[in-house]
């Protein structure tokens, strides 16, 4: 096997015609990999992604070849995948006002060219989910930048841009319905899509995980306040209180109690969504 790429979380290996996608316990915030791992994180992300790929297989096909035909040392955290030619656009759906979307709305009254009604507050549910794509920058290449739909068309063409929007919003809609039945709000999510050899558009990377999505506990949601996070936003909030870190590498060490609290959130969202106990 040949290591092709080491990302913020995943390492990608070539194995014949296939790729092996191995999720590490690394965690990043603000595009900076922190020096402290979160135990079991890679396995949780992998198993939750596999669960979602099964749940949403009728919406769009995915890149999974096998979750078991992987080296023994990577069992549980690796997926054997089909090679895709990835679309160089981050596909993001938002159903609630939070994060950078909130900041854009407060400044412009819109997000990525999507106008929104006046009077919304933090955590407000949007009138309908919106597609807010961004650029996809390589590790160390700077922060992803928002794109309007017209800018996305300029990058990939109108036909593919419309398909990216359709698939992203349908993934979000269906995923949100499933999560809502488990008492979880998916405020927003990011997916990655690519072309298979035959031209089929397929899901790649991860799907609806605490790294790629903003999960809230539904029974604690109220517009104007922040619900309890079940994702890595908890870690971002911890880092925002640090006075000696400017959000550039190297990142700060994570205290043991913050590591444990972060890990517990990943486990909680896995167990609530899948109904399985994390072992």
């Amino acid at each position: 096997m040949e290591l092709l790429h080491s990302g913020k979380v995943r390492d990608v290996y070539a194995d014949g015609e296939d790729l092996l996608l191995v999720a590490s316990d690394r965690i990043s915030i603000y595009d900076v990999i922190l020096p402290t791992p979160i135990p079991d994180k890679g396995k949780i992300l992998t198993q939750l992604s596999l669960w979602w790929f099964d749940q949403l297989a009728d919406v769009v096909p995915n890149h999974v070849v096998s979750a078991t035909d992987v080296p023994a040392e990577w069992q549980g955290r690796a997926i054997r995948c089909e090679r895709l030619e990835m679309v160089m656009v981050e596909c993001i759906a938002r159903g609630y006002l939070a994060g950078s979307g909130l900041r854009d709305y407060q400044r412009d009254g819109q997000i990525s060219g999507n106008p929104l009604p006046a009077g919304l507050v933090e955590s407000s549910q949007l009138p309908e989910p919106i597609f807010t794509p961004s650029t996809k920058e390589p590790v160390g290449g700077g922060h992803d930048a928002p794109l309007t739909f017209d800018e996305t068309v300029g990058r990939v063409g109108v036909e593919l841009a419309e398909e990216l929007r359709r698939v992203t919003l349908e993934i979000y809609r269906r995923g949100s319905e499933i999560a809502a039945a488990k008492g979880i709000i998916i405020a927003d999510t990011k997916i990655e899509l690519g072309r298979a050899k035959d031209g089929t558009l397929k899901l790649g990377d991860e799907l609806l995980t605490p790294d790629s999505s903003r999960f809230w506990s539904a029974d604690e949601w109220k517009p104007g306040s922040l619900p309890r996070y079940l994702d890595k936003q908890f870690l971002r909030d911890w880092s925002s209180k640090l006075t000696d870190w400017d959000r550039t590498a190297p990142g700060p060490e994570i205290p043991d109690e913050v590591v444990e609290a972060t890990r517990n959130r990943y486990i909680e969202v896995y167990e609530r969504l899948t109904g399985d106990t994390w072992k």
Side-chain angles (χ1 to χ4, degrees), residues 16-251:
E17 289 295 309
D18 300 332
L19 295 178
L20 284 174
L21 200 64
V22 184
S24 73
D25 292 339
R26 298 189 295 268
I27 194 162
S28 68
I29 50 176
Y30 308 115
D31 293 324
V32 175
I33 300 171
L34 302 187
T36 314
I38 306 297
D40 290 332
K41 174 177 173 283
K43 290 184 177 181
I44 296 168
L45 295 182
T46 299
Q47 297 308 310
L48 187 56
S49 288
L50 288 167
W51 185 83
W52 277 117
F53 283 138
D54 285 343
Q55 300 298 310
L56 302 175
D58 62 324
V59 176
V60 61
N62 59 70
H63 67 163
V64 177
V65 173
S66 174
T68 56
D69 183 15
V70 300
E73 66 267 30
W74 293 335
Q75 282 289 338
R77 67 172 64 244
I79 303 175
R80 181 174 294 277
C81 304
E82 182 179 0
R83 292 176 184 252
L84 303 178
E85 182 181 348
M86 301 309 294
V87 178
M88 295 308 291
V89 171
E90 298 278 13
C91 295
I92 301 167
R94 300 177 189 272
Y96 292 76
L97 203 54
S100 63
L102 172 64
R103 293 191 293 273
D104 291 348
Y105 169 76
Q106 290 173 332
R107 185 186 65 237
D108 303 324
Q110 61 179 8
I111 306 174
S112 298
N114 294 279
L116 294 171
L120 299 180
V121 295
E122 186 170 26
S123 304
S124 286
Q125 185 173 13
L126 304 182
E128 60 182 8
I130 58 175
F131 179 57
T132 63
S134 74
T135 62
K136 184 154 65 172
E137 303 294 340
V139 175
H143 297 291
D144 298 337
L147 294 170
T148 65
F149 184 73
D150 286 345
E151 288 170 338
T152 304
V153 169
R155 284 177 171 244
V156 302
V158 64
E159 184 177 351
L160 180 54
E162 289 177 347
E163 185 67 356
L164 296 179
R165 179 170 61 183
R166 184 194 69 79
V167 169
T168 302
L169 291 176
E170 183 62 11
I171 288 286
Y172 178 79
R173 185 187 69 79
R174 288 280 298 277
S176 293
E177 288 177 355
I178 293 169
K182 312 295 179 71
I184 292 174
I185 290 171
I186 304 178
D188 51 52
T189 195
K190 176 188 73 176
I191 65 172
E192 297 200 30
L193 293 154
R195 294 285 192 191
K197 279 186 176 180
D198 63 1
T200 303
L201 192 67
K202 294 189 175 186
L203 276 170
D205 199 48
E206 61 185 320
L207 182 61
L208 294 168
T209 72
D211 268 18
S212 66
S213 311
R214 201 181 305 266
F215 291 122
W216 295 339
S217 185
D219 59 2
E220 298 175 54
W221 170 72
K222 184 174 70 172
S225 63
L226 279 175
R228 184 166 66 90
Y229 287 115
L230 299 174
D231 55 61
K232 72 175 183 179
Q233 183 62 39
F234 172 80
L235 199 62
R236 294 190 191 98
D237 289 351
W238 162 77
S239 73
S240 69
K241 299 179 176 67
L242 301 177
T243 58
D244 55 352
W245 185 48
D246 61 359
R247 297 186 180 181
T248 61

Side-chain angles (χ1 to χ4, degrees), residues 231-278:
D231 55 61
K232 72 175 183 179
Q233 183 62 39
F234 172 80
L235 199 62
R236 294 190 191 98
D237 289 351
W238 162 77
S239 73
S240 69
K241 299 179 176 67
L242 301 177
T243 58
D244 55 352
W245 185 48
D246 61 359
R247 297 186 180 181
T248 61
E253 293 281 352
I254 310 172
D256 290 347
E257 63 273 16
V258 177
V259 169
E260 182 179 6
T262 303
R263 179 178 182 272
N264 288 344
R265 280 164 169 77
Y266 277 64
I267 291 173
E268 180 181 347
V269 78
Y270 171 87
E271 292 184 339
R272 288 177 66 172
L273 285 170
T274 67
D276 294 334
T277 300
W278 180 256

